[in-house]
PDB file of all heavy atoms in Angstrom:
ATOM      1  N   TRP A   1       0.848  -1.186   0.000  1.00  0.00           N
ATOM      2  CA  TRP A   1       0.000   0.000   0.000  1.00  0.00           C
ATOM      3  C   TRP A   1       0.884   1.236   0.000  1.00  0.00           C
ATOM      4  O   TRP A   1       1.834   1.347   0.799  1.00  0.00           O
ATOM      5  CB  TRP A   1      -0.903   0.002   1.229  1.00  0.00           C
ATOM      6  CG  TRP A   1      -1.955  -1.061   1.183  1.00  0.00           C
ATOM      7  CD1 TRP A   1      -1.846  -2.347   1.604  1.00  0.00           C
ATOM      8  CD2 TRP A   1      -3.271  -0.917   0.669  1.00  0.00           C
ATOM      9  NE1 TRP A   1      -3.009  -3.014   1.386  1.00  0.00           N
ATOM     10  CE2 TRP A   1      -3.914  -2.167   0.809  1.00  0.00           C
ATOM     11  CE3 TRP A   1      -3.979   0.141   0.088  1.00  0.00           C
ATOM     12  CZ2 TRP A   1      -5.218  -2.382   0.404  1.00  0.00           C
ATOM     13  CZ3 TRP A   1      -5.282  -0.069  -0.312  1.00  0.00           C
ATOM     14  CH2 TRP A   1      -5.882  -1.322  -0.157  1.00  0.00           C
ATOM     15  N   VAL A   2       0.593   2.163  -0.914  1.00  0.00           N
ATOM     16  CA  VAL A   2       1.408   3.358  -1.056  1.00  0.00           C
ATOM     17  C   VAL A   2       0.521   4.595  -1.090  1.00  0.00           C
ATOM     18  O   VAL A   2      -0.670   4.533  -1.402  1.00  0.00           O
ATOM     19  CB  VAL A   2       2.268   3.314  -2.342  1.00  0.00           C
ATOM     20  CG1 VAL A   2       3.236   2.145  -2.308  1.00  0.00           C
ATOM     21  CG2 VAL A   2       1.384   3.261  -3.591  1.00  0.00           C
ATOM     22  N   GLU A   3       1.147   5.704  -0.755  1.00  0.00           N
ATOM     23  CA  GLU A   3       0.525   7.019  -0.889  1.00  0.00           C
ATOM     24  C   GLU A   3       1.199   7.717  -2.061  1.00  0.00           C
ATOM     25  O   GLU A   3       2.432   7.721  -2.173  1.00  0.00           O
ATOM     26  CB  GLU A   3       0.726   7.812   0.394  1.00  0.00           C
ATOM     27  CG  GLU A   3       0.214   9.239   0.347  1.00  0.00           C
ATOM     28  CD  GLU A   3       0.596   9.996   1.600  1.00  0.00           C
ATOM     29  OE1 GLU A   3       1.784  10.377   1.728  1.00  0.00           O
ATOM     30  OE2 GLU A   3      -0.278  10.184   2.451  1.00  0.00           O
ATOM     31  N   ASP A   4       0.419   8.318  -2.948  1.00  0.00           N
ATOM     32  CA  ASP A   4       0.934   8.974  -4.147  1.00  0.00           C
ATOM     33  C   ASP A   4       0.373  10.394  -4.174  1.00  0.00           C
ATOM     34  O   ASP A   4      -0.836  10.593  -4.257  1.00  0.00           O
ATOM     35  CB  ASP A   4       0.483   8.203  -5.392  1.00  0.00           C
ATOM     36  CG  ASP A   4       1.190   8.651  -6.657  1.00  0.00           C
ATOM     37  OD1 ASP A   4       1.780   9.745  -6.648  1.00  0.00           O
ATOM     38  OD2 ASP A   4       1.132   7.902  -7.655  1.00  0.00           O
ATOM     39  N   ARG A   5       1.257  11.376  -4.067  1.00  0.00           N
ATOM     40  CA  ARG A   5       0.797  12.762  -4.090  1.00  0.00           C
ATOM     41  C   ARG A   5       1.769  13.617  -4.887  1.00  0.00           C
ATOM     42  O   ARG A   5       2.961  13.321  -4.945  1.00  0.00           O
ATOM     43  CB  ARG A   5       0.627  13.322  -2.686  1.00  0.00           C
ATOM     44  CG  ARG A   5       1.903  13.361  -1.856  1.00  0.00           C
ATOM     45  CD  ARG A   5       1.690  14.130  -0.563  1.00  0.00           C
ATOM     46  NE  ARG A   5       0.725  13.499   0.289  1.00  0.00           N
ATOM     47  CZ  ARG A   5       0.235  14.070   1.403  1.00  0.00           C
ATOM     48  NH1 ARG A   5       0.641  15.291   1.749  1.00  0.00           N
ATOM     49  NH2 ARG A   5      -0.637  13.448   2.146  1.00  0.00           N
ATOM     50  N   GLY A   6       1.224  14.655  -5.531  1.00  0.00           N
ATOM     51  CA  GLY A   6       2.095  15.496  -6.324  1.00  0.00           C
ATOM     52  C   GLY A   6       1.345  16.592  -7.042  1.00  0.00           C
ATOM     53  O   GLY A   6       0.255  17.014  -6.636  1.00  0.00           O
ATOM     54  N   VAL A   7       1.916  17.038  -8.157  1.00  0.00           N
ATOM     55  CA  VAL A   7       1.375  18.153  -8.917  1.00  0.00           C
ATOM     56  C   VAL A   7       1.427  17.815 -10.397  1.00  0.00           C
ATOM     57  O   VAL A   7       2.364  17.161 -10.863  1.00  0.00           O
ATOM     58  CB  VAL A   7       2.179  19.450  -8.630  1.00  0.00           C
ATOM     59  CG1 VAL A   7       3.651  19.266  -8.978  1.00  0.00           C
ATOM     60  CG2 VAL A   7       1.604  20.642  -9.370  1.00  0.00           C
ATOM     61  N   CYS A   8       0.402  18.217 -11.129  1.00  0.00           N
ATOM     62  CA  CYS A   8       0.419  18.030 -12.576  1.00  0.00           C
ATOM     63  C   CYS A   8       0.463  19.409 -13.238  1.00  0.00           C
ATOM     64  O   CYS A   8      -0.219  20.349 -12.827  1.00  0.00           O
ATOM     65  CB  CYS A   8      -0.781  17.221 -13.055  1.00  0.00           C
ATOM     66  SG  CYS A   8      -2.383  17.855 -12.583  1.00  0.00           S
ATOM     67  N   HIS A   9       1.299  19.514 -14.275  1.00  0.00           N
ATOM     68  CA  HIS A   9       1.499  20.761 -14.999  1.00  0.00           C
ATOM     69  C   HIS A   9       0.630  20.740 -16.252  1.00  0.00           C
ATOM     70  O   HIS A   9       0.639  19.775 -17.017  1.00  0.00           O
ATOM     71  CB  HIS A   9       2.975  20.914 -15.384  1.00  0.00           C
ATOM     72  CG  HIS A   9       3.907  20.897 -14.205  1.00  0.00           C
ATOM     73  ND1 HIS A   9       4.315  22.037 -13.552  1.00  0.00           N
ATOM     74  CD2 HIS A   9       4.489  19.862 -13.542  1.00  0.00           C
ATOM     75  CE1 HIS A   9       5.112  21.714 -12.555  1.00  0.00           C
ATOM     76  NE2 HIS A   9       5.246  20.395 -12.521  1.00  0.00           N
ATOM     77  N   LEU A  10      -0.103  21.820 -16.471  1.00  0.00           N
ATOM     78  CA  LEU A  10      -1.044  21.901 -17.582  1.00  0.00           C
ATOM     79  C   LEU A  10      -0.551  22.881 -18.631  1.00  0.00           C
ATOM     80  O   LEU A  10       0.046  23.932 -18.307  1.00  0.00           O
ATOM     81  CB  LEU A  10      -2.424  22.343 -17.083  1.00  0.00           C
ATOM     82  CG  LEU A  10      -3.043  21.537 -15.940  1.00  0.00           C
ATOM     83  CD1 LEU A  10      -4.362  22.168 -15.536  1.00  0.00           C
ATOM     84  CD2 LEU A  10      -3.237  20.097 -16.343  1.00  0.00           C
ATOM     85  N   GLY A  11      -0.813  22.554 -19.886  1.00  0.00           N
ATOM     86  CA  GLY A  11      -0.519  23.475 -20.958  1.00  0.00           C
ATOM     87  C   GLY A  11      -1.625  24.500 -21.113  1.00  0.00           C
ATOM     88  O   GLY A  11      -2.639  24.467 -20.405  1.00  0.00           O
ATOM     89  N   GLU A  12      -1.449  25.428 -22.058  1.00  0.00           N
ATOM     90  CA  GLU A  12      -2.452  26.473 -22.255  1.00  0.00           C
ATOM     91  C   GLU A  12      -3.793  25.906 -22.692  1.00  0.00           C
ATOM     92  O   GLU A  12      -4.839  26.501 -22.441  1.00  0.00           O
ATOM     93  CB  GLU A  12      -1.947  27.468 -23.311  1.00  0.00           C
ATOM     94  CG  GLU A  12      -0.739  28.276 -22.845  1.00  0.00           C
ATOM     95  CD  GLU A  12      -0.305  29.282 -23.893  1.00  0.00           C
ATOM     96  OE1 GLU A  12      -0.932  29.288 -24.974  1.00  0.00           O
ATOM     97  OE2 GLU A  12       0.631  30.060 -23.619  1.00  0.00           O
ATOM     98  N   ASP A  13      -3.746  24.732 -23.344  1.00  0.00           N
ATOM     99  CA  ASP A  13      -4.991  24.100 -23.780  1.00  0.00           C
ATOM    100  C   ASP A  13      -5.613  23.212 -22.715  1.00  0.00           C
ATOM    101  O   ASP A  13      -6.625  22.548 -22.956  1.00  0.00           O
ATOM    102  CB  ASP A  13      -4.744  23.276 -25.046  1.00  0.00           C
ATOM    103  CG  ASP A  13      -3.677  22.200 -24.839  1.00  0.00           C
ATOM    104  OD1 ASP A  13      -3.125  22.126 -23.713  1.00  0.00           O
ATOM    105  OD2 ASP A  13      -3.386  21.461 -25.794  1.00  0.00           O
ATOM    106  N   GLY A  14      -5.002  23.189 -21.523  1.00  0.00           N
ATOM    107  CA  GLY A  14      -5.541  22.398 -20.425  1.00  0.00           C
ATOM    108  C   GLY A  14      -5.054  20.959 -20.394  1.00  0.00           C
ATOM    109  O   GLY A  14      -5.391  20.226 -19.468  1.00  0.00           O
ATOM    110  N   ARG A  15      -4.268  20.562 -21.374  1.00  0.00           N
ATOM    111  CA  ARG A  15      -3.765  19.197 -21.376  1.00  0.00           C
ATOM    112  C   ARG A  15      -2.605  19.048 -20.394  1.00  0.00           C
ATOM    113  O   ARG A  15      -1.877  20.006 -20.118  1.00  0.00           O
ATOM    114  CB  ARG A  15      -3.307  18.805 -22.778  1.00  0.00           C
ATOM    115  CG  ARG A  15      -4.430  18.726 -23.800  1.00  0.00           C
ATOM    116  CD  ARG A  15      -3.914  18.232 -25.141  1.00  0.00           C
ATOM    117  NE  ARG A  15      -4.991  18.157 -26.126  1.00  0.00           N
ATOM    118  CZ  ARG A  15      -4.826  17.749 -27.368  1.00  0.00           C
ATOM    119  NH1 ARG A  15      -3.612  17.369 -27.785  1.00  0.00           N
ATOM    120  NH2 ARG A  15      -5.854  17.715 -28.198  1.00  0.00           N
ATOM    121  N   ILE A  16      -2.443  17.822 -19.899  1.00  0.00           N
ATOM    122  CA  ILE A  16      -1.390  17.556 -18.922  1.00  0.00           C
ATOM    123  C   ILE A  16      -0.057  17.420 -19.643  1.00  0.00           C
ATOM    124  O   ILE A  16       0.113  16.577 -20.532  1.00  0.00           O
ATOM    125  CB  ILE A  16      -1.697  16.279 -18.120  1.00  0.00           C
ATOM    126  CG1 ILE A  16      -3.012  16.450 -17.350  1.00  0.00           C
ATOM    127  CG2 ILE A  16      -0.563  15.964 -17.156  1.00  0.00           C
ATOM    128  CD1 ILE A  16      -3.484  15.187 -16.673  1.00  0.00           C
ATOM    129  N   ILE A  17       0.908  18.242 -19.254  1.00  0.00           N
ATOM    130  CA  ILE A  17       2.244  18.180 -19.833  1.00  0.00           C
ATOM    131  C   ILE A  17       3.111  17.195 -19.062  1.00  0.00           C
ATOM    132  O   ILE A  17       3.820  16.363 -19.646  1.00  0.00           O
ATOM    133  CB  ILE A  17       2.899  19.572 -19.828  1.00  0.00           C
ATOM    134  CG1 ILE A  17       2.064  20.551 -20.659  1.00  0.00           C
ATOM    135  CG2 ILE A  17       4.334  19.509 -20.324  1.00  0.00           C
ATOM    136  CD1 ILE A  17       2.553  21.976 -20.573  1.00  0.00           C
ATOM    137  N   ALA A  18       3.055  17.288 -17.741  1.00  0.00           N
ATOM    138  CA  ALA A  18       3.883  16.413 -16.906  1.00  0.00           C
ATOM    139  C   ALA A  18       3.244  16.287 -15.537  1.00  0.00           C
ATOM    140  O   ALA A  18       2.493  17.159 -15.089  1.00  0.00           O
ATOM    141  CB  ALA A  18       5.302  16.956 -16.782  1.00  0.00           C
ATOM    142  N   VAL A  19       3.558  15.175 -14.886  1.00  0.00           N
ATOM    143  CA  VAL A  19       3.110  14.927 -13.516  1.00  0.00           C
ATOM    144  C   VAL A  19       4.342  14.638 -12.677  1.00  0.00           C
ATOM    145  O   VAL A  19       5.163  13.775 -13.022  1.00  0.00           O
ATOM    146  CB  VAL A  19       2.135  13.737 -13.448  1.00  0.00           C
ATOM    147  CG1 VAL A  19       1.725  13.476 -11.998  1.00  0.00           C
ATOM    148  CG2 VAL A  19       0.915  13.988 -14.312  1.00  0.00           C
ATOM    149  N   GLU A  20       4.502  15.374 -11.588  1.00  0.00           N
ATOM    150  CA  GLU A  20       5.640  15.180 -10.689  1.00  0.00           C
ATOM    151  C   GLU A  20       5.103  14.909  -9.299  1.00  0.00           C
ATOM    152  O   GLU A  20       4.166  15.563  -8.843  1.00  0.00           O
ATOM    153  CB  GLU A  20       6.531  16.425 -10.685  1.00  0.00           C
ATOM    154  CG  GLU A  20       7.175  16.714 -12.028  1.00  0.00           C
ATOM    155  CD  GLU A  20       7.928  18.031 -12.035  1.00  0.00           C
ATOM    156  OE1 GLU A  20       7.580  18.917 -11.220  1.00  0.00           O
ATOM    157  OE2 GLU A  20       8.849  18.196 -12.852  1.00  0.00           O
ATOM    158  N   GLY A  21       5.708  13.946  -8.617  1.00  0.00           N
ATOM    159  CA  GLY A  21       5.214  13.619  -7.292  1.00  0.00           C
ATOM    160  C   GLY A  21       6.130  12.700  -6.530  1.00  0.00           C
ATOM    161  O   GLY A  21       7.276  12.445  -6.919  1.00  0.00           O
ATOM    162  N   VAL A  22       5.582  12.202  -5.426  1.00  0.00           N
ATOM    163  CA  VAL A  22       6.316  11.305  -4.533  1.00  0.00           C
ATOM    164  C   VAL A  22       5.424  10.130  -4.193  1.00  0.00           C
ATOM    165  O   VAL A  22       4.239  10.314  -3.844  1.00  0.00           O
ATOM    166  CB  VAL A  22       6.744  12.023  -3.233  1.00  0.00           C
ATOM    167  CG1 VAL A  22       7.423  11.042  -2.282  1.00  0.00           C
ATOM    168  CG2 VAL A  22       7.668  13.188  -3.537  1.00  0.00           C
ATOM    169  N   VAL A  23       5.965   8.936  -4.302  1.00  0.00           N
ATOM    170  CA  VAL A  23       5.285   7.724  -3.860  1.00  0.00           C
ATOM    171  C   VAL A  23       5.930   7.287  -2.550  1.00  0.00           C
ATOM    172  O   VAL A  23       7.154   7.128  -2.486  1.00  0.00           O
ATOM    173  CB  VAL A  23       5.379   6.601  -4.912  1.00  0.00           C
ATOM    174  CG1 VAL A  23       4.859   5.285  -4.335  1.00  0.00           C
ATOM    175  CG2 VAL A  23       4.587   6.973  -6.154  1.00  0.00           C
ATOM    176  N   ARG A  24       5.113   7.097  -1.530  1.00  0.00           N
ATOM    177  CA  ARG A  24       5.618   6.747  -0.201  1.00  0.00           C
ATOM    178  C   ARG A  24       4.951   5.481   0.290  1.00  0.00           C
ATOM    179  O   ARG A  24       3.742   5.308   0.149  1.00  0.00           O
ATOM    180  CB  ARG A  24       5.338   7.889   0.779  1.00  0.00           C
ATOM    181  CG  ARG A  24       5.957   7.715   2.152  1.00  0.00           C
ATOM    182  CD  ARG A  24       5.805   8.988   2.965  1.00  0.00           C
ATOM    183  NE  ARG A  24       4.424   9.263   3.299  1.00  0.00           N
ATOM    184  CZ  ARG A  24       3.810   8.809   4.398  1.00  0.00           C
ATOM    185  NH1 ARG A  24       4.457   8.044   5.255  1.00  0.00           N
ATOM    186  NH2 ARG A  24       2.553   9.120   4.622  1.00  0.00           N
ATOM    187  N   ARG A  25       5.733   4.603   0.876  1.00  0.00           N
ATOM    188  CA  ARG A  25       5.186   3.361   1.429  1.00  0.00           C
ATOM    189  C   ARG A  25       4.295   3.642   2.627  1.00  0.00           C
ATOM    190  O   ARG A  25       4.632   4.451   3.487  1.00  0.00           O
ATOM    191  CB  ARG A  25       6.313   2.427   1.877  1.00  0.00           C
ATOM    192  CG  ARG A  25       6.962   1.631   0.773  1.00  0.00           C
ATOM    193  CD  ARG A  25       7.776   0.493   1.363  1.00  0.00           C
ATOM    194  NE  ARG A  25       8.295  -0.376   0.310  1.00  0.00           N
ATOM    195  CZ  ARG A  25       8.653  -1.634   0.497  1.00  0.00           C
ATOM    196  NH1 ARG A  25       8.556  -2.163   1.700  1.00  0.00           N
ATOM    197  NH2 ARG A  25       9.120  -2.356  -0.497  1.00  0.00           N
ATOM    198  N   LEU A  26       3.164   2.929   2.670  1.00  0.00           N
ATOM    199  CA  LEU A  26       2.309   2.945   3.859  1.00  0.00           C
ATOM    200  C   LEU A  26       2.431   1.638   4.618  1.00  0.00           C
ATOM    201  O   LEU A  26       2.676   1.611   5.817  1.00  0.00           O
ATOM    202  CB  LEU A  26       0.849   3.186   3.472  1.00  0.00           C
ATOM    203  CG  LEU A  26       0.509   4.566   2.907  1.00  0.00           C
ATOM    204  CD1 LEU A  26      -0.947   4.618   2.512  1.00  0.00           C
ATOM    205  CD2 LEU A  26       0.825   5.643   3.924  1.00  0.00           C
ATOM    206  N   SER A  27       2.216   0.522   3.944  1.00  0.00           N
ATOM    207  CA  SER A  27       2.264  -0.763   4.635  1.00  0.00           C
ATOM    208  C   SER A  27       2.335  -1.891   3.629  1.00  0.00           C
ATOM    209  O   SER A  27       2.039  -1.717   2.454  1.00  0.00           O
ATOM    210  CB  SER A  27       1.036  -0.962   5.533  1.00  0.00           C
ATOM    211  OG  SER A  27      -0.131  -1.045   4.738  1.00  0.00           O
ATOM    212  N   ILE A  28       2.719  -3.047   4.139  1.00  0.00           N
ATOM    213  CA  ILE A  28       2.680  -4.278   3.362  1.00  0.00           C
ATOM    214  C   ILE A  28       1.609  -5.159   3.964  1.00  0.00           C
ATOM    215  O   ILE A  28       1.520  -5.301   5.183  1.00  0.00           O
ATOM    216  CB  ILE A  28       4.035  -5.012   3.386  1.00  0.00           C
ATOM    217  CG1 ILE A  28       5.104  -4.168   2.688  1.00  0.00           C
ATOM    218  CG2 ILE A  28       3.937  -6.372   2.715  1.00  0.00           C
ATOM    219  CD1 ILE A  28       6.475  -4.760   2.764  1.00  0.00           C
ATOM    220  N   GLY A  29       0.800  -5.775   3.127  1.00  0.00           N
ATOM    221  CA  GLY A  29      -0.247  -6.660   3.639  1.00  0.00           C
ATOM    222  C   GLY A  29      -1.584  -5.955   3.658  1.00  0.00           C
ATOM    223  O   GLY A  29      -1.867  -5.098   2.844  1.00  0.00           O
ATOM    224  N   ARG A  30      -2.427  -6.295   4.637  1.00  0.00           N
ATOM    225  CA  ARG A  30      -3.783  -5.763   4.710  1.00  0.00           C
ATOM    226  C   ARG A  30      -3.779  -4.522   5.590  1.00  0.00           C
ATOM    227  O   ARG A  30      -3.415  -4.587   6.752  1.00  0.00           O
ATOM    228  CB  ARG A  30      -4.727  -6.817   5.273  1.00  0.00           C
ATOM    229  CG  ARG A  30      -4.613  -8.155   4.575  1.00  0.00           C
ATOM    230  CD  ARG A  30      -5.699  -9.084   5.022  1.00  0.00           C
ATOM    231  NE  ARG A  30      -6.975  -8.665   4.502  1.00  0.00           N
ATOM    232  CZ  ARG A  30      -7.409  -8.939   3.279  1.00  0.00           C
ATOM    233  NH1 ARG A  30      -6.660  -9.626   2.466  1.00  0.00           N
ATOM    234  NH2 ARG A  30      -8.586  -8.530   2.873  1.00  0.00           N
ATOM    235  N   PRO A  31      -4.201  -3.373   5.093  1.00  0.00           N
ATOM    236  CA  PRO A  31      -4.076  -2.132   5.851  1.00  0.00           C
ATOM    237  C   PRO A  31      -4.967  -2.055   7.066  1.00  0.00           C
ATOM    238  O   PRO A  31      -4.644  -1.375   8.017  1.00  0.00           O
ATOM    239  CB  PRO A  31      -4.477  -1.062   4.832  1.00  0.00           C
ATOM    240  CG  PRO A  31      -5.381  -1.771   3.891  1.00  0.00           C
ATOM    241  CD  PRO A  31      -4.835  -3.172   3.796  1.00  0.00           C
ATOM    242  N   ALA A  32      -6.093  -2.734   7.049  1.00  0.00           N
ATOM    243  CA  ALA A  32      -7.028  -2.592   8.162  1.00  0.00           C
ATOM    244  C   ALA A  32      -6.827  -3.664   9.213  1.00  0.00           C
ATOM    245  O   ALA A  32      -7.580  -3.773  10.146  1.00  0.00           O
ATOM    246  CB  ALA A  32      -8.465  -2.661   7.663  1.00  0.00           C
ATOM    247  N   ARG A  33      -5.790  -4.461   9.070  1.00  0.00           N
ATOM    248  CA  ARG A  33      -5.527  -5.534  10.018  1.00  0.00           C
ATOM    249  C   ARG A  33      -4.049  -5.519  10.393  1.00  0.00           C
ATOM    250  O   ARG A  33      -3.212  -5.103   9.599  1.00  0.00           O
ATOM    251  CB  ARG A  33      -5.883  -6.901   9.413  1.00  0.00           C
ATOM    252  CG  ARG A  33      -7.349  -6.986   9.053  1.00  0.00           C
ATOM    253  CD  ARG A  33      -7.567  -8.126   8.076  1.00  0.00           C
ATOM    254  NE  ARG A  33      -8.957  -8.204   7.704  1.00  0.00           N
ATOM    255  CZ  ARG A  33      -9.526  -7.362   6.846  1.00  0.00           C
ATOM    256  NH1 ARG A  33      -8.830  -6.418   6.272  1.00  0.00           N
ATOM    257  NH2 ARG A  33     -10.795  -7.472   6.551  1.00  0.00           N
ATOM    258  N   PRO A  34      -3.675  -6.002  11.559  1.00  0.00           N
ATOM    259  CA  PRO A  34      -2.269  -5.994  11.958  1.00  0.00           C
ATOM    260  C   PRO A  34      -1.502  -7.110  11.265  1.00  0.00           C
ATOM    261  O   PRO A  34      -1.122  -8.090  11.876  1.00  0.00           O
ATOM    262  CB  PRO A  34      -2.341  -6.229  13.474  1.00  0.00           C
ATOM    263  CG  PRO A  34      -3.589  -7.022  13.658  1.00  0.00           C
ATOM    264  CD  PRO A  34      -4.539  -6.538  12.605  1.00  0.00           C
ATOM    265  N   ALA A  35      -1.304  -6.961   9.955  1.00  0.00           N
ATOM    266  CA  ALA A  35      -0.691  -8.030   9.183  1.00  0.00           C
ATOM    267  C   ALA A  35       0.666  -7.605   8.677  1.00  0.00           C
ATOM    268  O   ALA A  35       0.895  -7.421   7.499  1.00  0.00           O
ATOM    269  CB  ALA A  35      -1.601  -8.421   8.018  1.00  0.00           C
ATOM    270  N   GLY A  36       1.619  -7.422   9.582  1.00  0.00           N
ATOM    271  CA  GLY A  36       2.963  -7.094   9.163  1.00  0.00           C
ATOM    272  C   GLY A  36       3.158  -5.612   8.962  1.00  0.00           C
ATOM    273  O   GLY A  36       3.249  -5.131   7.850  1.00  0.00           O
ATOM    274  N   SER A  37       3.214  -4.846  10.042  1.00  0.00           N
ATOM    275  CA  SER A  37       3.376  -3.410   9.914  1.00  0.00           C
ATOM    276  C   SER A  37       4.779  -3.076   9.440  1.00  0.00           C
ATOM    277  O   SER A  37       5.722  -3.835   9.605  1.00  0.00           O
ATOM    278  CB  SER A  37       3.100  -2.731  11.260  1.00  0.00           C
ATOM    279  OG  SER A  37       4.016  -3.186  12.220  1.00  0.00           O
ATOM    280  N   LEU A  38       4.916  -1.923   8.862  1.00  0.00           N
ATOM    281  CA  LEU A  38       6.191  -1.483   8.324  1.00  0.00           C
ATOM    282  C   LEU A  38       6.569  -0.178   8.993  1.00  0.00           C
ATOM    283  O   LEU A  38       5.889   0.818   8.858  1.00  0.00           O
ATOM    284  CB  LEU A  38       6.093  -1.285   6.811  1.00  0.00           C
ATOM    285  CG  LEU A  38       7.382  -0.867   6.108  1.00  0.00           C
ATOM    286  CD1 LEU A  38       8.387  -1.999   6.142  1.00  0.00           C
ATOM    287  CD2 LEU A  38       7.087  -0.446   4.676  1.00  0.00           C
ATOM    288  N   GLY A  39       7.654  -0.202   9.740  1.00  0.00           N
ATOM    289  CA  GLY A  39       8.141   1.024  10.342  1.00  0.00           C
ATOM    290  C   GLY A  39       7.210   1.625  11.362  1.00  0.00           C
ATOM    291  O   GLY A  39       7.289   2.797  11.660  1.00  0.00           O
ATOM    292  N   GLY A  40       6.305   0.840  11.902  1.00  0.00           N
ATOM    293  CA  GLY A  40       5.418   1.332  12.946  1.00  0.00           C
ATOM    294  C   GLY A  40       4.276   2.190  12.453  1.00  0.00           C
ATOM    295  O   GLY A  40       3.553   2.763  13.249  1.00  0.00           O
ATOM    296  N   ILE A  41       4.116   2.316  11.108  1.00  0.00           N
ATOM    297  CA  ILE A  41       3.036   3.170  10.619  1.00  0.00           C
ATOM    298  C   ILE A  41       1.797   2.388  10.275  1.00  0.00           C
ATOM    299  O   ILE A  41       0.786   2.955   9.905  1.00  0.00           O
ATOM    300  CB  ILE A  41       3.485   3.985   9.388  1.00  0.00           C
ATOM    301  CG1 ILE A  41       4.134   3.082   8.348  1.00  0.00           C
ATOM    302  CG2 ILE A  41       4.392   5.115   9.778  1.00  0.00           C
ATOM    303  CD1 ILE A  41       4.573   3.826   7.099  1.00  0.00           C
ATOM    304  N   GLU A  42       1.824   1.066  10.352  1.00  0.00           N
ATOM    305  CA  GLU A  42       0.625   0.269  10.094  1.00  0.00           C
ATOM    306  C   GLU A  42      -0.365   0.461  11.230  1.00  0.00           C
ATOM    307  O   GLU A  42      -0.030   0.244  12.399  1.00  0.00           O
ATOM    308  CB  GLU A  42       1.009  -1.205   9.986  1.00  0.00           C
ATOM    309  CG  GLU A  42      -0.175  -2.157  10.019  1.00  0.00           C
ATOM    310  CD  GLU A  42      -0.968  -2.070   8.729  1.00  0.00           C
ATOM    311  OE1 GLU A  42      -0.519  -1.426   7.787  1.00  0.00           O
ATOM    312  OE2 GLU A  42      -2.051  -2.659   8.688  1.00  0.00           O
ATOM    313  N   PRO A  43      -1.588   0.911  10.962  1.00  0.00           N
ATOM    314  CA  PRO A  43      -2.565   1.130  12.043  1.00  0.00           C
ATOM    315  C   PRO A  43      -2.997  -0.178  12.660  1.00  0.00           C
ATOM    316  O   PRO A  43      -3.139  -1.188  11.988  1.00  0.00           O
ATOM    317  CB  PRO A  43      -3.743   1.799  11.310  1.00  0.00           C
ATOM    318  CG  PRO A  43      -3.600   1.348   9.902  1.00  0.00           C
ATOM    319  CD  PRO A  43      -2.135   1.190   9.647  1.00  0.00           C
ATOM    320  N   GLN A  44      -3.189  -0.164  13.938  1.00  0.00           N
ATOM    321  CA  GLN A  44      -3.628  -1.358  14.655  1.00  0.00           C
ATOM    322  C   GLN A  44      -5.133  -1.505  14.529  1.00  0.00           C
ATOM    323  O   GLN A  44      -5.864  -0.535  14.501  1.00  0.00           O
ATOM    324  CB  GLN A  44      -3.236  -1.261  16.129  1.00  0.00           C
ATOM    325  CG  GLN A  44      -1.742  -1.117  16.342  1.00  0.00           C
ATOM    326  CD  GLN A  44      -0.986  -2.310  15.799  1.00  0.00           C
ATOM    327  OE1 GLN A  44      -1.322  -3.451  16.090  1.00  0.00           O
ATOM    328  NE2 GLN A  44       0.032  -2.055  14.998  1.00  0.00           N
ATOM    329  N   SER A  45      -5.595  -2.743  14.470  1.00  0.00           N
ATOM    330  CA  SER A  45      -7.022  -2.972  14.293  1.00  0.00           C
ATOM    331  C   SER A  45      -7.763  -3.066  15.615  1.00  0.00           C
ATOM    332  O   SER A  45      -8.964  -3.023  15.646  1.00  0.00           O
ATOM    333  CB  SER A  45      -7.236  -4.265  13.495  1.00  0.00           C
ATOM    334  OG  SER A  45      -6.719  -5.363  14.218  1.00  0.00           O
ATOM    335  N   GLU A  46      -7.061  -3.192  16.715  1.00  0.00           N
ATOM    336  CA  GLU A  46      -7.733  -3.392  17.987  1.00  0.00           C
ATOM    337  C   GLU A  46      -8.464  -2.138  18.433  1.00  0.00           C
ATOM    338  O   GLU A  46      -7.994  -1.015  18.216  1.00  0.00           O
ATOM    339  CB  GLU A  46      -6.743  -3.798  19.073  1.00  0.00           C
ATOM    340  CG  GLU A  46      -5.923  -5.028  18.763  1.00  0.00           C
ATOM    341  CD  GLU A  46      -4.632  -4.680  18.052  1.00  0.00           C
ATOM    342  OE1 GLU A  46      -4.537  -3.537  17.553  1.00  0.00           O
ATOM    343  OE2 GLU A  46      -3.759  -5.541  17.969  1.00  0.00           O
TER     344      GLU A  46
END
């Protein structure tokens, strides 16, 4: 599971020229269950 956020650059005609951003890890496995948290950021289900 990843988080993807950034900015898209538009031309004068409104078309997308480029998209720049950052992809960041959230967790491995099932996000709503304690199935192998990564770096302590996996939310606990209890």
Side-chain angles (χ1 to χ4, degrees):
W1 291 87
V2 298
E3 176 187 75
D4 191 343
R5 61 171 63 189
V7 58
C8 55
H9 302 268
L10 307 177
E12 293 182 358
D13 58 359
R15 294 184 180 181
I16 299 173
I17 299 173
V19 178
E20 296 174 335
V22 176
V23 171
R24 187 171 67 89
R25 280 195 174 203
L26 292 177
S27 65
I28 295 175
R30 310 189 71 82
R33 299 162 181 76
S37 61
L38 182 68
I41 50 179
E42 167 72 9
Q44 301 299 310
S45 62
E46 304 90 344

